[in-house]
Amino acid sequence: MEKNQKKFEKWRYQQIMEDMQNVFKNVSSNYRQKLVYNLLNAVKGNNQKEFFWMVFRVLNANSDNPKVAEISEKIGKMYPLSSSEFERVAYSIILGIMSAGGEKSG
């Protein structure tokens, strides 16, 4: 059972990362860098409220993407998280944003 739980968790983190890549693929690299910096500071301070506020604000700005509502609902259901789970979810979100590609500047 524990092995299956770990597989599920790994899949869930991977899915979060892929969802973030999809949402942020058309966002400028400068904006993504600034956002990642701010998100990392929130993680460092274990500030879930600030972290998720920033994530939801950006997701709502990209509301023309049909996946945004689904992603927002998934993330919203997770909150609040234990400290260690918050780090895992937060880094999955951050890695997804960072790996979104799209070298659009500005």
Side-chain angles (χ1 to χ4, degrees):
M1 181 80 163
E2 189 175 311
K3 188 176 182 181
N4 286 338
Q5 181 66 24
K6 287 184 180 185
K7 279 185 178 179
F8 172 74
E9 287 176 2
K10 184 177 179 184
W11 171 83
R12 184 173 64 162
Y13 302 134
Q14 183 67 34
Q15 188 62 51
I16 291 169
M17 197 168 78
E18 289 173 6
D19 288 345
M20 289 296 135
Q21 284 176 336
N22 183 33
V23 171
F24 285 90
K25 66 184 174 194
N26 293 321
V27 176
S28 76
S29 59
N30 289 344
Y31 182 79
R32 285 186 285 123
Q33 287 174 8
K34 181 179 177 184
L35 176 62
V36 165
Y37 177 81
N38 291 331
L39 292 174
L40 286 170
N41 281 329
V43 173
K44 182 179 177 184
N46 197 28
N47 190 338
Q48 291 187 41
K49 186 177 180 180
E50 181 181 350
F51 181 89
F52 286 112
W53 180 82
M54 285 187 277
V55 169
F56 286 128
R57 188 185 72 189
V58 173
L59 287 175
N60 285 332
N62 288 297
S63 60
D64 56 328
N65 185 322
K67 295 276 286 178
V68 167
E70 179 185 330
I71 295 165
S72 294
E73 185 177 343
K74 281 183 197 175
I75 292 172
K77 286 181 180 178
M78 291 184 220
Y79 182 82
L81 299 163
S82 69
S83 184
S84 61
E85 185 68 9
F86 168 58
E87 281 189 14
R88 290 184 195 112
V89 169
Y91 286 125
S92 297
I93 290 170
I94 291 168
L95 286 171
I97 294 169
M98 289 172 56
S99 61
E103 294 304 313
K104 192 169 83 170
S105 62

